[in-house]
Amino acid sequence: MKNIFLLINIFLIFLSISCDDNVNPKANFKEEYVLNCVLKADTNYQIATISKSYDVDGYDPNSNKIDPFIKGATIKVYYRDSIFTFKDTSTQRSADSKYNTPINFYYIKKLKPSSYSQLKIEALLPNGKILTASTESFFLNTLYFSKTVDTYPPINANKIIFSWDKISGDKFESTIYFAPELAIVYSKFENGNWNKYYKKVPIRYLENSPDKPPIYPEISVGKNSVSFDTLAFGVALREISKDITQRKNYKIENALFRLLILDKNLAAYYSLQKTFLDEFSVRINQPDFTNIKGGLGIFGIYAIKQINIPIESSYILKFGYSL
């Protein structure tokens, strides 16, 4: 799994400043603290990070070589009648990382919030500052796919429809948000290896626009279905490699439908960023949204349900790709 971090970057914009203007492009520095904890409802392993803003000499934030992670904090999550206390640990960074010290983070192994209840996080920093936030968990185990596609392409259909439902009696409509996504899973032969990639499929392309931009599913609450145009699927498949002569270097594996289930906090972030599912990973890398009291960052919960969809061999070969 990928660790989830939030780094505060400083962006300086100079627009039409004359030589006579007495302008200080670097405002007074204010130290901020950032708490990130995104709980996954279908596992009991959870992580959290705490960092702080930093100042640098000059105007380049990348000149900072000291990891702003804060050690020695006490982080607790309150769920139902239990209190879960995080432990600290670290792992090695990649060779091209900005910092040369290990990646630090906090973790717990026994929290799996899969039923409806309030969740609260509290982080006590070494300097005595306290960061808090709260959210609601949801009934993950009561959600199921009520309609899917057995194989692609569908027979005599111009739409690919997916729907999901819940067991009656559970809180659902007002507490759970859905972000559906359909992707084509493929491998590309590069430097002697087959590397896996995902190509997202739009629900349709905007035909009335000159460049025909793709339209992707939006986040919704209460809605329990989504449909994709079969023509859009074909266009997305063709876009994997626009060079027809190179398509033998691509293997089309299958289609993958994923349903990202979010609480209201992550739903708000997703709505602002529009890139939450980029490359099929949850990434939080901009401070445009926060629900942390006393600082910045995000505390939320999500889960993923997914299903693989075989693609007929004849359909793949028609585009010139390998199986």
Side-chain angles (χ1 to χ4, degrees):
M1 64 178 295
K2 295 184 179 180
N3 295 330
I4 304 172
F5 293 96
L6 176 104
L7 299 178
I8 297 181
N9 293 323
I10 304 172
F11 292 94
L12 303 174
I13 302 177
F14 301 91
L15 295 176
S16 303
I17 300 177
S18 67
C19 296
D20 295 333
D21 292 333
N22 184 16
V23 176
N24 178 13
K26 192 173 181 180
N28 292 332
F29 173 73
K30 179 182 178 182
E31 192 168 64
E32 296 279 6
Y33 298 93
V34 184
L35 168 63
N36 280 325
C37 183
V38 179
L39 303 174
K40 193 173 181 182
D42 48 14
T43 182
N44 62 2
Y45 185 83
Q46 315 294 346
I47 67 172
T49 63
I50 302 180
S51 58
K52 63 179 180 179
S53 57
Y54 53 84
D55 197 7
V56 294
D57 293 331
Y59 303 117
D60 181 11
N62 291 321
S63 65
N64 177 62
K65 300 302 180 183
I66 301 176
D67 187 352
F69 180 86
I70 296 178
K71 297 182 179 181
T74 300
I75 307 176
K76 296 180 179 181
V77 169
Y78 300 83
Y79 176 60
R80 302 176 73 86
D81 296 325
S82 300
I83 302 175
F84 300 85
T85 303
F86 284 74
K87 299 179 180 179
D88 64 299
T89 188
S90 63
T91 188
Q92 293 299 315
R93 294 183 188 271
S94 60
D96 58 349
S97 177
K98 175 181 177 180
Y99 305 113
N100 54 20
T101 54
I103 299 174
N104 297 286
F105 60 97
Y106 297 90
Y107 75 96
I108 48 178
K109 289 185 175 181
K110 296 182 179 181
L111 173 58
K112 188 177 182 181
S114 57
S115 60
Y116 180 79
S117 184
Q118 287 284 333
L119 284 150
K120 179 183 177 181
I121 191 169
E122 180 181 274
L124 175 61
L125 277 55
N127 63 1
K129 188 173 181 61
I130 297 176
L131 308 178
T132 62
S134 61
T135 189
E136 294 177 345
S137 58
F138 40 73
F139 286 97
L140 175 65
N141 296 331
T142 64
L143 187 80
Y144 63 93
F145 289 123
S146 54
K147 183 177 182 179
T148 60
V149 178
D150 295 329
T151 187
Y152 189 88
I155 300 174
N156 299 325
N158 58 5
K159 296 287 184 180
I160 318 167
I161 300 175
F162 299 91
S163 60
W164 52 94
D165 212 333
K166 64 183 179 67
I167 297 175
S168 61
D170 295 333
K171 292 190 177 182
F172 187 80
E173 289 82 1
S174 63
T175 59
I176 304 181
Y177 294 76
F178 299 103
E181 182 165 287
L182 179 63
I184 300 169
V185 185
Y186 69 95
S187 297
K188 182 180 180 181
F189 191 72
E190 301 171 305
N191 301 320
N193 297 304
W194 287 98
N195 299 316
K196 182 174 290 188
Y197 295 96
Y198 300 88
K199 171 65 175 179
K200 287 193 288 187
V201 178
I203 56 176
R204 61 185 176 90
Y205 287 85
L206 192 60
E207 294 295 331
N208 295 330
S209 178
D211 55 352
K212 296 183 179 181
I215 307 299
Y216 295 96
E218 294 187 354
I219 192 169
S220 64
V221 57
K223 187 177 179 181
N224 69 334
S225 67
V226 63
S227 63
F228 295 82
D229 194 320
T230 55
L231 292 177
F233 190 97
V235 173
L237 184 61
R238 190 178 298 112
E239 287 178 343
I240 289 176
S241 175
K242 296 184 178 180
D243 188 345
I244 299 177
T245 62
Q246 296 297 317
R247 288 185 178 175
K248 290 297 181 182
N249 293 327
Y250 294 79
K251 287 183 179 179
I252 306 301
E253 300 181 17
N254 57 268
L256 175 64
F257 177 72
R258 300 200 331 163
L259 185 65
L260 185 63
I261 311 159
L262 310 163
D263 71 345
K264 61 182 180 181
N265 297 319
L266 292 183
Y269 179 87
Y270 176 90
S271 297
L272 287 172
Q273 298 301 321
K274 301 297 185 183
T275 56
F276 196 84
L277 291 177
D278 181 45
E279 296 178 359
F280 271 44
S281 61
V282 178
R283 299 182 180 189
I284 298 185
N285 52 17
Q286 295 183 23
D288 292 339
F289 173 82
T290 179
N291 66 320
I292 304 297
K293 294 181 180 180
L296 300 173
I298 191 167
F299 176 58
I301 181 171
Y302 80 104
I304 296 173
K305 280 188 174 292
Q306 63 185 40
I307 183 171
N308 290 320
I309 305 156
I311 304 175
E312 290 184 0
S313 300
S314 59
Y315 185 78
I316 296 173
L317 295 174
K318 183 177 72 174
F319 286 86
Y321 293 113
S322 299
L323 301 176

